[in-house]
Amino acid sequence: MNGAGGFIGGHLVKRLKAEGCWVRVVDLKRHDFAEPPADEFILGDLREPDVVRNAVSGIDEVYQLAADMGGAGYIFTGEHDAAVMHNSATINLNTVEFGARAGVRKFFYSSSACMYPEYNQLDPDNPKCSEDSAYPAAPDSEYGWEKLFSERLYLAYMRNRGIQVRIARFHNIFGPEGTWRGGREKAPAAMCRKVAETPDGGEIEIWGDGKQTRSFLYIDECIEAVRRLVDSDFTGPVNIGSEEMVTIDRLAQMVMEIAGKKLAIRHIPGPLGVRGRNSDNRLIREKLGWAPSRPLREGLEKTYAWIARQVGLS
Ligand code: NAD
């Protein structure tokens, strides 16, 4: 598994081990919070061909989760565009080429809802993210363009090199043991941190007017959907996300309710991304019979409890 020192990869290793798989993981770094129970850990850079050759040797299925990524504060400022495109594309080019050569049978690739065209996500109440709305392509970030390129890369290898491929487009996955500070954290984690750090009656800052919409999927639901996709005969690309769309202000209110705090919200300029986004789960329901089983609020409760503990420890 590539990227198992990260958030989703760390959780996926636990699941694969619980299912009895033998798991080799590769990452630039050790996991920040909970070392995944892998059978072998390669500390290495997947931009390096030799590291990848080593990583795929003798492997049957590759889960490719490594990417140069972060939340809006990383992806949408423009400062990391060259790194994001070069690093993530190189990881994918190496993984699929050396994996195919080594006889890897199946590749799971983690794409992102960020590949959907911006023009379908201008109305916060009616964003369109059905899988067939990807083209004409017009993602609003280089991160999204790289995801689109790499989706096509894996599909091309499937056609020409006889490998099996499964592609998921993740929509905002959140939960414990994910990045919660430092500039790469995403909205739910940032919100939980701000609320946990601010005394009752204080004030938190939110980027934008707070009326932008998103949906958020709890990590356990994501892992279940990934495993179902990989074990199915459906290639995708398919959305893995939640259809419970909320404004960012509502997300903040929910976290405050969970924390039992009343805080004022100050809206400030910041990197935002599209105006509205929601998962469209029609295809995954039809193909895999999957939908999230629990409401956003429950996942937020678990995530808030974990982040509040981290804040207390730091
Ligand atoms: P993450 O940043 O926590 O994990 C990614 C891991 O990749 C990190 O541990 C990082 O060290 C590793 N990595 C980066 N460059 C590497 C390199 N050159 N060599 C080896 N390892 C390298 O991210 P995550 O949230 O766990 O996301 C996993 C995947 O899912 C990513 O591909 C991401 O783009 C995709 N995705 C995530 C979300 C989300 O909401 N979390 C949404 C859409 C797509």
Side-chain angles (χ1 to χ4, degrees):
M1 179 178 316
N2 294 348
F7 168 51
I8 301 173
H11 284 274
L12 192 51
V13 174
K14 287 186 209 164
R15 170 70 180 259
L16 291 172
K17 283 307 299 170
E19 289 182 23
C21 301
W22 187 92
V23 184
R24 174 187 295 149
V25 309
V26 193
D27 204 295
L28 276 177
K29 63 170 182 67
R30 295 260 163 198
H31 199 284
D32 290 332
F33 312 108
E35 194 65 32
D39 296 283
E40 191 181 332
F41 190 107
I42 298 179
L43 199 58
D45 188 335
L46 291 159
R47 291 169 300 185
E48 299 297 332
D50 283 347
V51 170
V52 182
R53 276 192 205 99
N54 213 357
V56 294
S57 158
I59 292 296
D60 190 39
E61 282 182 2
V62 166
Y63 289 80
Q64 202 315 78
L65 292 124
D68 191 355
M69 74 94 90
Y74 189 76
I75 296 296
F76 297 119
T77 57
E79 287 162 29
H80 309 107
D81 286 352
V84 163
M85 293 194 99
H86 177 267
N87 294 339
S88 296
T90 307
I91 292 169
N92 285 305
L93 288 161
N94 283 343
T95 298
V96 73
E97 172 61 24
F98 296 118
R101 278 195 216 172
V104 171
R105 192 174 51 87
K106 199 184 269 185
F107 293 77
F108 169 78
Y109 175 56
S110 51
S111 182
S112 164
C114 288
M115 46 61 62
Y116 283 115
E118 185 178 20
Y119 58 76
N120 279 333
Q121 302 172 83
L122 300 175
D123 176 357
D125 298 324
N126 289 297
K128 182 175 175 189
C129 290
S130 53
E131 287 81 352
D132 60 5
S133 70
Y135 297 95
D140 69 337
S141 66
E142 303 304 352
Y143 171 76
W145 279 105
E146 190 282 326
K147 289 293 187 192
L148 202 53
F149 164 77
S150 290
E151 285 188 5
R152 301 187 68 99
L153 174 72
Y154 284 94
L155 293 172
Y157 270 72
M158 183 174 80
R159 291 194 302 276
N160 296 166
R161 301 279 290 270
I163 58 167
Q164 291 186 48
V165 168
R166 302 288 181 268
I167 300 174
R169 292 174 178 160
F170 291 152
H171 289 244
N172 276 316
I173 314 302
F174 76 100
E177 297 172 9
T179 306
W180 60 278
R181 64 175 169 184
R184 286 184 185 243
E185 66 279 15
K186 307 184 93 187
M191 207 69 83
C192 289
R193 185 198 68 234
K194 289 176 189 179
V195 170
E197 283 175 347
T198 310
D200 199 13
E203 180 183 83
I204 56 169
E205 290 181 342
I206 289 185
W207 290 339
D209 63 6
K211 296 187 174 58
Q212 64 273 37
T213 52
R214 290 292 186 278
S215 68
F216 303 95
L217 182 70
Y218 189 62
I219 182 68
D220 293 358
E221 312 261 19
C222 168
I223 300 295
E224 174 63 26
V226 169
R227 289 295 301 118
R228 284 202 205 183
L229 175 61
V230 171
D231 284 351
S232 78
D233 54 14
F234 181 53
T235 297
V238 67
N239 291 328
I240 292 185
S242 159
E243 290 178 316
E244 187 182 340
M245 188 170 79
V246 293
T247 64
I248 296 298
D249 274 351
R250 177 66 199 131
L251 179 73
Q253 289 299 342
M254 280 174 125
V255 176
M256 287 183 222
E257 285 161 24
I258 290 165
K261 292 184 184 180
K262 277 208 169 63
L263 307 174
I265 296 177
R266 186 148 58 95
H267 295 107
I268 59 164
L272 293 173
V274 293
R275 190 71 185 135
R277 176 172 290 151
N278 195 11
S279 188
D280 180 330
N281 288 351
R282 284 174 296 174
L283 186 63
I284 196 164
R285 263 198 302 273
E286 179 200 321
K287 297 288 182 186
L288 305 180
W290 176 89
S293 61
R294 311 300 307 166
L296 168 63
R297 166 89 190 212
E298 265 183 39
L300 274 181
E301 283 169 4
K302 293 179 194 160
T303 308
Y304 182 78
W306 183 81
I307 290 180
R309 211 162 46 243
Q310 306 306 307
V311 168
L313 293 172
S314 65

